Amino acid sequence: MYSSSPIGLSLCSWNANGLLRKIAELHIFIEKHSPDIFLIQETHLRPSRNFNIANYTCHRNDRISDGPRTAGGTLILVKNSLKHYCLPTPPLRALEATNIILTPPKHDPISITCVYIPPSSDENLFTIDIEHFIQTASNCILFGDFNATHNAWNCKNNTTRGRHLFNFANMLNLNIAFPSTPTRFGHNSANTIDIALIKNFYYPFTINSIDDLSSDHNPVFLNFNFKLAEAPPNPRAVSTDWNAFKINLNKNLSLFDFHPNNINNTIDLEQKITEFTEAVIDTHSHASRPIETDRRNFTPHNINQLIKIKNYFRKRYHQTLNPIFKSHYNRSLSI
């Protein structure tokens, strides 16, 4: 069944600045928020490293590096219930990306791209890469870390990349979606660089930066308010009380009515078949109930609190470079 969040379609973008030490808290975050699609930048994963999240399909592009330190990399997690496919990523000039196409029932395909523009990449050529992805479907969402600042999305300064992105979006009539609070925190600084470019996807949305997960970037939620068509439920996913079914069917049906002597022509035959079928279906429906399959393992409250404290100290250290916060953070890792 095509499943979406109650508000429509929920996307979350996060620059992880390395995933391997954060997998446990990522599991808890997904358990808590359950985004339909999770876009992650700076995964720092090597191709030989497996990465999987239960109930999600993972698509990723790792940055290939010969050095001892891995960097970059993009990844998209898609709920298994969402029909989609992944497009091969072409050679890119200035950004890293992973691209999927959603194919919901009774709706045009939706292209969703996880974008990461490294700070050192060319500040002008990146729009050539963006043009490729906005041509993958009529409805497009490019979401991630653009490393571009501009007053138009609540930044204090306009960088060359920010001005180029702003002019490019205006020229192609792209909507730039950004939260009202900063998404990336540094020493005595805060900026909004985790944003979304939207093409032709004219649905109401909300976008928020939330204080969670241990990185210098906040996760950002982009929630669209619209209703997608759902596939019919699985008729076998029920539990039936067959004793009640037998008792009620005997009440609802009289075999005497279906005796051959009471059927004189094809019209009578079709009528009796219809009555019999409707009686069986109705009786089965009343004697059955859905099988509950949504079993979720919730993390204990005390573990959630420890992770929240750890994230707080990490962010405070990024903001102030005060070694006291670094010590508190390191101590929280050993609890």
Side-chain angles (χ1 to χ4, degrees):
M1 183 174 71
Y2 190 94
S3 173
S4 61
S5 66
I7 54 176
L9 184 65
S10 172
L11 286 75
C12 181
S13 175
W14 178 47
N15 182 314
N17 193 18
L19 267 179
L20 293 184
R21 295 184 62 186
K22 303 166 186 174
I23 292 178
E25 62 178 294
L26 180 65
H27 278 275
I28 294 171
F29 181 87
I30 290 176
E31 177 186 282
K32 177 181 177 181
H33 296 282
S34 189
D36 292 325
I37 300 172
F38 204 155
L39 305 94
I40 304 177
Q41 306 87 45
E42 285 205 87
T43 58
H44 297 184
L45 297 176
R46 293 187 182 276
S48 58
R49 175 76 189 200
N50 291 327
F51 179 81
N52 295 291
I53 298 290
N55 302 317
Y56 284 81
T57 301
C58 178
H59 306 283
R60 60 190 250 206
N61 286 301
D62 304 330
R63 183 192 293 182
I64 307 301
S65 174
D66 295 328
R69 183 179 182 276
T70 55
T74 58
L75 178 153
I76 298 182
L77 296 170
V78 187
K79 278 187 176 177
N80 290 339
S81 55
L82 297 179
K83 294 183 179 179
H84 72 284
Y85 58 90
C86 184
L87 287 180
T89 302
L92 300 173
R93 298 167 181 257
L95 61 84
E96 300 177 24
T98 302
N99 178 227
I100 64 159
I101 306 293
L102 287 184
T103 56
K106 300 180 182 179
H107 196 285
D108 292 336
I110 307 165
S111 173
I112 298 178
T113 307
C114 177
V115 174
Y116 174 58
I117 303 181
S120 59
S121 66
D122 189 280
E123 294 185 324
N124 297 296
L125 292 179
F126 72 96
T127 54
I128 298 176
D129 294 338
I130 290 178
E131 283 189 67
H132 167 81
F133 292 107
I134 63 176
Q135 293 172 5
T136 54
S138 59
N139 301 299
C140 297
I141 304 167
L142 289 81
F143 196 13
D145 178 4
F146 283 78
N147 267 309
T149 63
H150 197 280
N151 301 148
W153 47 92
N154 289 341
C155 299
K156 294 181 179 179
N157 302 312
N158 296 342
T159 59
T160 299
R161 186 182 290 116
R163 287 190 291 269
H164 199 32
L165 179 61
F166 178 74
N167 293 332
F168 175 80
N170 283 341
M171 180 176 64
L172 296 184
N173 196 30
L174 304 177
N175 187 9
I176 300 179
F178 56 93
S180 59
T181 56
T183 66
R184 196 266 179 186
F185 299 86
H187 178 49
N188 290 328
S189 67
N191 263 316
T192 303
I193 59 177
D194 303 270
I195 58 179
L197 288 183
I198 303 173
K199 171 194 170 188
N200 293 340
F201 202 62
Y202 300 122
Y203 292 95
F205 66 84
T206 60
I207 182 167
N208 298 289
S209 168
I210 67 172
D211 186 15
D212 206 334
L213 295 173
S214 57
S215 171
D216 52 346
H217 290 251
N218 279 350
V220 178
F221 272 91
L222 176 60
N223 297 320
F224 289 94
N225 185 9
F226 73 110
K227 183 66 175 176
L228 287 174
E230 293 187 351
N234 180 1
R236 297 182 182 273
V238 295
S239 175
T240 302
D241 183 342
W242 292 109
N243 186 54
F245 172 82
K246 180 176 69 174
I247 294 172
N248 291 328
L249 187 62
N250 287 334
K251 292 179 180 178
N252 295 334
L253 278 179
S254 172
L255 294 181
F256 177 78
D257 292 336
F258 296 92
H259 193 279
N261 292 338
N262 295 325
I263 301 175
N264 301 315
N265 49 53
T266 56
I267 295 177
D268 289 344
L269 178 61
E270 290 180 359
Q271 178 65 28
K272 295 300 181 183
I273 291 175
T274 300
E275 291 176 2
F276 179 82
T277 303
E278 290 178 350
V280 170
I281 292 175
D282 184 64
T283 305
H284 180 266
S285 175
H286 282 83
S288 305
R289 60 181 178 83
I291 297 174
E292 299 294 336
T293 58
D294 185 18
R295 298 186 179 93
R296 300 177 62 189
N297 297 319
F298 291 94
T299 306
H301 177 70
N302 64 315
I303 301 299
N304 280 322
Q305 287 300 108
L306 290 175
I307 291 175
K308 186 175 182 180
I309 292 170
K310 182 194 71 169
N311 292 343
Y312 169 77
F313 286 131
R314 182 184 176 93
K315 289 185 184 295
R316 290 294 291 154
Y317 175 70
H318 278 298
Q319 293 167 356
T320 65
L321 295 184
N322 188 328
I324 293 177
F325 292 121
K326 180 68 171 179
S327 298
H328 285 319
Y329 169 72
N330 290 333
R331 192 176 298 116
S332 69
L333 293 176
S334 61
I335 296 177

